[in-house]
Amino acid sequence: MSEFHGSASRGPAPKPSRTPPPRTRATGLRHRLAELRGADVPAKALDARALAALAANPGCRRRAILDGAGVDKAKLASALGAPSGFGQSQFALTRGNAFEAKVKADGGAELLRLAHIRLDPGAEAPEAAAVPDLTAQGPEGRTARTALALREATRAGGWTLLDHPMLALDVAGSLAFLEPDAVVVHPDGSWSVVEIKSFPMLDGSADPAKVGAAARQAAVYVLALEDVAARLDPAPRVRHRVLLVCPKDFSNLPAGSAVDVRKQRAVTARQLARLTRIEEIADALPEGTCFAPDRDTEELTAAVAAVPATYAPDCLSTCELAFHCRERARAAGAVTRLGRPLRAELGGLTTVEDVLAAAHGELGDPDDPAVAALRRAAALRAEALQEARAREVAAVCR
């Protein structure tokens, strides 16, 4: 009792101090990535095209950390003095947007007709399809609203068209928000991805390279849809045949084709799983590393150089930093600039200097198949040159 009165005589007890909540691993990583991007620089969202390119080169730690941190690689390349013309022209974007609007007009009636014909001809015709409102606050809100709309459409049955839904996919410890052109829910509750492209479909077929790129992009959406389906009980079926819609011949009329993306989906899933985790790359960077485009060129060059890259000629069509990385690969004499197949054949010989030294017998184990092949090729070349010189001498003597 005396202790109680003694404490009361000293006045009211002080209010407990508010301590900030402990930083979790996820919030700590987001804070670290924001520091790398620049405190006042908004994050550039990953899209399916970038993920498909990232999965095609999983060994490139530079692209992994830049994409994971939301760095705008086009602005970074310009700040480094190596701007790239990578990306679609404004004319192509305008034409693509106009064609997509035409395909989705009247509640997506034409799009659903193509989905019925190409993907699900045995189902009832989509005469009265639902088109739910997917608006919400922020990408997280739109992702949750999309998941709810998919669940409701699956339970309701019938045809449903989701226009520009938002999906989320975990990529090397970082969440990427993806926005496919459309997702169709079939009367049996299955889901299909729709890709709308502005390149033409001539006589029922399109450019194989462009179709392949569209298939790789659609495969990323299929993976993200499968994550949503896995959280439902029972899990709906995500179809591996997607609907590709393109202009027919040289007109602006839409034509549809079913594209099987099972192979692209398997490759993309495997490559994304192999990606080095972003936090491991971030932890290995020097303190104070920042990729904000307003930094000095020397500082940015040092920051980019601190992250190893795996350059290949394919990067020229998929990455905004390709010109910068190609210049550095040339300066270092890296054999990767000659292509991935040749790099794989050369084994432990990573530079052109090492390759030439091995061919001339100055480096390498003679029992190494790559070294033996190089020396054999060098011997054949020397023999051919010697014969050519001998013929030239004989011709002069005549």
Side-chain angles (χ1 to χ4, degrees):
M1 191 71 174
S2 60
E3 291 179 359
F4 173 80
H5 285 292
S7 60
S9 63
R10 290 192 295 268
K15 295 182 179 179
S17 61
R18 291 187 176 181
T19 58
R23 178 179 294 177
T24 64
R25 183 177 182 181
T27 57
L29 176 61
R30 285 196 295 269
H31 180 73
R32 176 64 172 139
L33 294 179
E35 290 178 340
L36 292 174
R37 184 175 63 249
D40 300 326
V41 179
K44 180 177 174 59
L46 277 173
D47 57 15
R49 184 175 300 178
L51 282 179
L54 181 61
N57 192 6
C60 187
R61 299 165 70 91
R62 182 174 297 171
R63 173 150 196 168
I65 190 65
L66 292 176
D67 283 348
V71 175
D72 190 327
K73 297 193 296 299
K75 293 182 179 179
L76 178 59
S78 297
L80 290 169
S84 171
F86 175 78
Q88 288 183 302
S89 67
Q90 190 61 41
F91 172 75
L93 289 172
T94 302
R95 181 182 60 186
N97 291 336
F99 178 68
E100 181 178 338
K102 180 180 180 64
V103 172
K104 293 180 178 178
D106 300 325
E110 181 63 16
L111 189 153
L112 288 167
R113 186 186 71 83
L114 293 173
H116 176 236
I117 294 174
R118 301 300 182 188
L119 300 179
D120 201 358
E124 61 185 30
E127 296 178 355
V131 184
D133 182 12
L134 302 179
T135 56
Q137 186 69 28
E140 293 86 355
R142 290 185 59 197
T143 301
R145 182 68 188 90
T146 296
L148 178 61
L150 285 168
R151 182 169 66 249
E152 292 176 345
T154 303
R155 292 174 178 174
W159 291 92
T160 300
L161 173 63
L162 276 67
D163 185 8
H164 282 288
M166 183 67 74
L167 307 172
L169 186 65
D170 184 271
V171 181
S174 181
L175 205 59
F177 294 99
L178 312 172
E179 187 176 352
D181 293 328
V183 169
V184 171
V185 179
H186 298 253
D188 63 357
S190 58
W191 305 345
S192 292
V193 171
V194 178
E195 273 291 281
I196 303 174
K197 298 297 184 183
S198 58
F199 56 81
M201 192 175 294
L202 306 176
D203 294 330
S205 62
D207 184 346
K210 294 181 179 180
V211 173
R216 289 189 294 273
Q217 187 174 338
V220 177
Y221 297 137
V222 169
L223 286 172
L225 267 182
E226 288 177 348
D227 281 354
V228 179
R231 293 192 290 270
L232 301 183
D233 188 20
R237 177 168 67 97
V238 178
R239 295 178 178 236
H240 291 164
R241 294 173 76 234
V242 305
L243 178 65
L244 176 63
V245 182
C246 301
K248 182 179 180 181
D249 298 327
F250 297 102
S251 69
N252 201 33
L253 299 176
S257 176
V259 180
D260 193 328
V261 299
R262 284 178 295 181
K263 179 180 178 181
Q264 291 83 355
R265 180 213 163 276
V267 171
T268 303
R270 183 169 64 252
Q271 297 291 57
L272 290 178
R274 289 173 51 194
L275 283 173
T276 304
R277 296 194 66 80
I278 291 176
E279 57 263 37
E280 296 176 2
I281 305 175
D283 290 343
L285 293 178
E287 191 68 27
T289 299
C290 182
F291 303 107
D294 58 352
R295 300 294 178 98
D296 294 336
T297 303
E298 293 183 0
E299 184 179 351
L300 279 178
T301 302
V304 171
V307 192
T310 306
Y311 171 78
D314 299 346
C315 298
L316 292 172
S317 61
T318 58
C319 183
E320 297 88 339
L321 276 182
F323 288 166
H324 174 81
C325 296
R326 182 178 64 177
E327 181 182 342
R328 294 302 184 272
R330 284 175 173 172
V335 297
T336 52
R337 63 189 175 92
L338 303 177
R340 291 193 184 95
L342 180 60
R343 171 68 187 89
E345 293 289 338
L346 293 174
L349 303 172
T350 59
T351 66
V352 174
E353 183 180 355
D354 290 345
V355 171
L356 294 176
H360 296 149
E362 301 169 359
L363 181 72
D365 183 1
D367 295 330
D368 186 336
V371 174
L374 287 169
R375 292 181 181 177
R376 175 60 178 163
L380 291 173
R381 178 180 182 276
E383 182 180 344
L385 290 175
Q386 185 176 2
E387 292 178 356
R389 292 192 190 100
R391 287 194 297 269
E392 290 177 1
V393 171
V396 171
C397 293
R398 293 196 193 110

